[in-house]
Amino acid sequence: METNHEREAYWRDSAKIKDFPALDESRQTDVTVVGGGITGLTTAYLLSQKGLRVTVIEASEILSGTTRYTTAKVTAQHGVIYDELIEHFGIEKARQFFDHNQQAVDWIRQTVQQKGWDCDFEDHEAWLYASSTPSLNKLLDEQKAYEKLDIPFRTASTLPFDIPIKGALIMKNQAQFHPLKYLAHMTEEIISMGGQIHEHTKAVDIKEDDDIQVEMESGHVLSSQHVVIATSYPFWDAAGLYFARLEVERSYIVSGVWTGEDPGGMYLSVDSPSRSIRFYDHDGKRGIMVGGDGHKTGQGGEHHQHIENLKEFTHAQIGPADLTYEWSAQDNITLDKLPYIGSITNRHPRVLVATGFRKWGMTQGTMAAQIMTDQILGVSTESAEMYEPSRFKANPSIKQGAKLNADTAFELVKGKLESASVDLEQLSPGKGGSVKWNGKTIGAYRDETGKVLAVDLTCTHMGCECNWNESENSWDCPCHGSRFAVDGEVLNGPALKPLKVIDTEKDR
Ligand SMILES: Cc1cc2nc3c(=O)[nH]c(=O)nc-3n(C[C@H](O)[C@H](O)[C@H](O)COP(=O)(O)OP(=O)(O)OC[C@H]3O[C@@H](n4cnc5c(N)ncnc54)[C@H](O)[C@@H]3O)c2cc1C
Ligand code: FES
């Protein structure tokens, strides 16, 4: 049985990724890239092509972040977005956003073809479909936006599945690929151009004078002229208050062998809960991947229920599939839905950051790499100003920012008021959750051997109470999306410090 209930994606099982040694010395490099996902590796690739000495450092293994858990549609169709972008930023900027993303699709296609990279790259149209009248109205507004922006499209009134719809808007000239096979090729080229990659090397701080020093947990330091932070959630905030400007959303995916006919195309619903559908090469057979059920991290309720929802939807509305893989992952969303790409703050112009891809990082991570490469090389990037992290847009940022912070305050108070209803002794092997212990509520996980790993649930970022994520055996914070392993170690920031460990045998 291929299913891995501990958060594994089909991509991982079907790609060969090399191991790289940890950094074992302090040294100089031209550019330090922190983070080995699509954003960091593409930036390293582009800079290496320009002759710069690039060092990529990765806290865990490369391609173990969100890039491993993506659906990997390579498209400029990011849900219903262009109508909203025209409203908030005007036609010119909305068109630039489309151009940057479409150029990323075309660049990936061209690179794969020129280099002959075997990565299951396929050209497809991207379908956005509406099943209700309110979403049809949104879709019609989006269609008008496509017309204003001159985006090539066609429409349809039915889908090639049993999903009843009111209409579909189809963007031409899009694609999909196997993200890990693609990036494994890119990694080899980075190395062949003289780049260096270090895994199990966690960056913990940045100091800046003439050079910029990135300090590792191990104590080693990389000094360089530029630093790129491509860690999804920026590991270093530089008082940029990113936690108050990024919302973290988790989604679920199921996949497996598809025994029906493949109609081609990649599909996304306008209605909630969202549904994302694509087909792919599954070990020589045709596979289907269905995603959706997104929610703010730490606020999603029963995780297995989301997986069941996707399985039920697939069997009832799409067709015959043997769904053996299931996983979930998270990505960051900015206040105004455009990514943050550029100097982390005005005070640190040579420390660049790229985040907030709203679950569209295959193209946005690629375009971020292109923009940051230009910025490092000093090439004028006027059209990229709209992504400057220090931008301030009154509408909709203020409203959305206030909502985000009110939501955090609510979660902070709610977490403090809640108490566990079960005793630690009642926790079965292989289970975790909030439990009563010694007159207080703590977090505990009992492994299969009966050993208890217990933690103080107070998030080390800003003090909200973490919730148990049963599908991935992690503690997830509902405020800004930090995640912690059962032993308290940080899995995702903004938190930098682990949860406090409680020894339930001793700490009475
Ligand atoms: C369910 C889901 C489906 C998606 N589907 C699509 C899709 O169909 N199409 C699309 O375009 N996008 C999609 N996305 C979005 C896309 O996958 C992400 O935007 C993209 O993978 C982000 O890549 P990244 O390189 O920026 O971050 P990551 O892949 O998360 O890489 C960041 C890396 O930084 C490392 N790191 C973190 N902290 C440190 C530190 N202190 N020191 C060193 N290293 C560190 C991490 O270990 C990680 O490997 C989806 C996202 C989700 C959640
Ligand atoms: S992530 Fe901010 S309080 Fe937990």
Side-chain angles (χ1 to χ4, degrees), residues 16-67:
K16 284 196 181 69
I17 315 286
K18 274 193 188 148
D19 294 333
F20 295 95
L23 182 73
D24 60 0
E25 59 175 0
S26 295
R27 61 179 160 78
Q28 194 85 25
T29 183
D30 289 340
V31 182
T32 304
V33 174
V34 189
I38 188 166
T39 310
L41 291 174
T42 310
T43 311
Y45 175 75
L46 292 173
L47 289 169
S48 300
Q49 280 189 322
K50 297 290 177 189
L52 271 72
R53 272 182 313 151
V54 184
T55 305
V56 179
I57 50 162
E58 164 56 50
S60 172
E61 289 158 6
I62 60 162
L63 303 172
S64 61
T66 307
T67 301

Side-chain angles (χ1 to χ4, degrees), residues 305-327:
Q305 189 56 53
H306 297 294
I307 295 292
E308 284 313 310
N309 293 346
L310 292 178
K311 286 185 175 170
E312 201 181 302
F313 167 78
T314 309
H315 294 310
Q317 304 216 310
I318 311 182
D322 186 13
L323 299 171
T324 47
Y325 283 83
E326 56 189 59
W327 68 90

Side-chain angles (χ1 to χ4, degrees), residues 243 408 412 459-466 477-484 493-495:
F243 63 85
T408 299
L412 187 64
C459 177
T460 55
H461 177 232
M462 288 176 72
C464 291
E465 297 297 299
C466 296
C477 179
C479 286
H480 312 106
S482 290
R483 295 180 57 248
F484 303 87

Side-chain angles (χ1 to χ4, degrees), residues 34-39 57-59 64-67 69-73 201-203 230-232 235 251 253 329-331 357 359-363:
V34 189
I38 188 166
T39 310
I57 50 162
E58 164 56 50
S64 61
T66 307
T67 301
Y69 302 99
T70 179
T71 323
K73 292 175 175 174
T201 302
K202 186 173 179 179
T231 52
S232 189
F235 84 94
S251 300
I253 297 180
Q330 64 192 40
D331 208 5
F357 300 146
K359 299 187 201 163
W360 296 107
M362 298 299 106
T363 51

Side-chain angles (χ1 to χ4, degrees), residues 3 66 85 117 134 146 246 270 312 315 355 415-416 427 473 504:
T3 306
T66 307
L85 291 183
W117 289 352
Y146 280 26
L246 283 171
V270 178
E312 201 181 302
H315 294 310
T355 186
K416 303 292 172 206
L427 204 59
N473 287 352
T504 50

Side-chain angles (χ1 to χ4, degrees), residues 85-257:
L85 291 183
I86 291 176
E87 191 191 331
H88 293 138
F89 300 98
I91 288 195
E92 195 186 332
K93 289 204 164 111
R95 174 70 208 195
Q96 276 170 3
F97 180 75
F98 170 74
D99 284 344
H100 286 144
N101 281 283
Q102 187 60 45
Q103 280 158 13
V105 177
D106 296 340
W107 182 83
I108 291 172
R109 179 188 289 116
Q110 207 183 13
T111 306
V112 168
Q113 282 169 358
Q114 278 176 357
K115 302 271 175 189
W117 289 352
D118 170 15
C119 61
D120 306 340
F121 185 95
E122 296 174 11
D123 286 308
H124 283 284
E125 292 177 320
W127 292 54
L128 200 51
Y129 66 88
S131 302
S132 66
T133 305
S135 23
L136 177 65
N137 291 336
K138 282 190 201 162
L139 202 64
L140 291 173
D141 287 342
E142 188 72 352
Q143 182 178 329
K144 283 188 204 138
Y146 280 26
E147 283 162 5
K148 285 182 199 159
L149 299 175
D150 215 8
I151 295 174
F153 74 93
R154 66 184 183 91
T155 57
S157 52
T158 55
L159 287 185
F161 318 113
D162 287 341
I163 306 171
I165 64 161
K166 301 228 178 241
L169 179 62
I170 305 160
M171 193 182 275
K172 299 178 179 176
N173 191 25
Q174 307 303 303
Q176 63 181 37
F177 62 4
H178 187 308
L180 268 52
K181 285 186 183 172
Y182 166 76
L183 288 161
H185 286 294
M186 190 173 272
T187 302
E188 281 184 12
E189 293 240 353
I190 293 169
I191 298 298
S192 72
M193 289 187 281
Q196 297 200 306
I197 299 177
H198 296 288
E199 294 183 324
H200 307 291
T201 302
K202 186 173 179 179
V204 290
D205 201 3
I206 294 183
K207 302 230 163 71
E208 190 171 353
D209 41 50
D210 287 347
D211 268 350
I212 308 170
Q213 283 108 34
V214 179
E215 295 181 2
M216 313 304 160
E217 200 171 39
S218 60
H220 297 117
V221 174
L222 279 178
S223 304
S224 51
Q225 278 301 303
H226 290 92
V227 173
V228 170
I229 299 183
T231 52
S232 189
Y233 211 106
F235 84 94
W236 188 70
D237 191 276
L241 301 181
Y242 280 81
F243 63 85
R245 302 197 281 140
L246 283 171
E247 190 162 18
V248 188
E249 198 177 288
R250 243 183 135 69
S251 300
Y252 301 78
I253 297 180
V254 294
S255 85
V257 172

